[in-house]
Amino acid sequence: MMKKNIQHLTDDQLMDLADAFVTEDEKQQYFDHLSVCEDCQARYQTFISINEQLASMPLLQPSVVFTERVLDQWDEIRLAVPDVKKRVRLTPFVFLSFMSFLVIVSMILLSVFSTSSANTVPVVTTTHMVRNVIGTGILWESLLVVNAVLLLWLFNQRVLAPFFKHRVVA
């Protein structure tokens, strides 16, 4: 009869026992548990019967010409798959160049619109009109920060994520 407070063996433990991937101590513990737990006994017998059925199945041998057929089609298969590696390798550098260009343009705009005109003759120019409409240098500095954050986000979404998507860390 099965006791209510027994900790049952997991399926992984039972499969390891059926495949003989356990130490002698673990084997003894598992068999001690199986002697008192009917539920685990039934599950263990299921794994044993699966192993026996798999062992009795014939192994399929590939055709003698299988390798030759694959190698004959290899050039066609390789040409059908686009070579993404070349495009992905250049993408970070192109995007970084574009980002650098935008940051430099933003800094130039910041320096043009934030220069002090205290020592010069007040002349109404397009720069002064834009400055009066848009605001002071604080706005330009905040726009530069927003620009940098957006560029970094775009760089992550468009370049880094696709570039590292298929890489496996060992």
Side-chain angles (χ1 to χ4, degrees):
M1 178 78 42
M2 184 173 65
K3 297 179 183 177
K4 299 280 184 194
N5 59 358
I6 292 179
Q7 173 107 16
H8 293 288
L9 296 174
T10 66
D11 285 344
D12 287 337
Q13 290 171 324
L14 291 172
M15 285 187 270
D16 287 344
L17 180 62
D19 294 333
F21 291 148
V22 294
T23 64
E24 287 298 320
D25 292 337
E26 289 173 329
K27 184 177 180 180
Q28 185 60 43
Q29 288 175 345
Y30 295 167
F31 278 124
D32 288 345
H33 175 79
L34 290 174
S35 66
V36 295
C37 181
E38 293 174 3
D39 181 47
C40 291
Q41 284 176 9
R43 290 179 23 236
Y44 175 68
Q45 288 304 319
T46 302
F47 292 127
I48 291 291
S49 68
I50 289 172
N51 281 354
E52 290 170 353
Q53 290 173 3
L54 287 174
S56 68
M57 294 177 71
L59 293 177
L60 297 177
Q61 295 294 326
S63 168
V64 177
V65 293
F66 174 76
T67 305
E68 291 175 18
R69 283 191 223 156
V70 170
L71 290 177
D72 288 342
Q73 295 176 2
W74 179 250
D75 289 331
E76 295 171 19
I77 294 170
R78 200 176 79 210
L79 292 175
V81 176
D83 191 12
V84 179
K85 292 179 183 178
K86 292 179 183 176
R87 184 176 51 92
V88 171
R89 287 184 188 152
L90 293 178
T91 304
F93 301 110
V94 171
F95 197 83
L96 278 175
S97 301
F98 179 69
M99 276 182 35
S100 300
F101 172 76
L102 285 179
V103 169
I104 289 170
V105 167
S106 299
M107 292 179 78
I108 289 171
L109 287 173
L110 177 64
S111 66
V112 167
F113 289 115
S114 67
T115 57
S116 174
S117 60
N119 297 333
T120 61
V121 177
V123 178
V124 178
T125 62
T126 308
T127 305
H128 291 293
M129 291 185 339
V130 170
R131 193 172 192 188
N132 288 335
V133 171
I134 294 180
T136 63
I138 295 172
L139 178 64
W140 287 104
E141 291 169 2
S142 61
L143 287 175
L144 183 62
V145 169
V146 169
N147 184 22
V149 169
L150 284 174
L151 288 174
L152 289 173
W153 178 78
L154 281 172
F155 182 68
N156 181 42
Q157 295 297 316
R158 302 286 180 163
V159 177
L160 293 179
F163 187 72
F164 291 107
K165 182 178 181 180
H166 301 291
R167 300 207 176 214
V168 177
V169 178

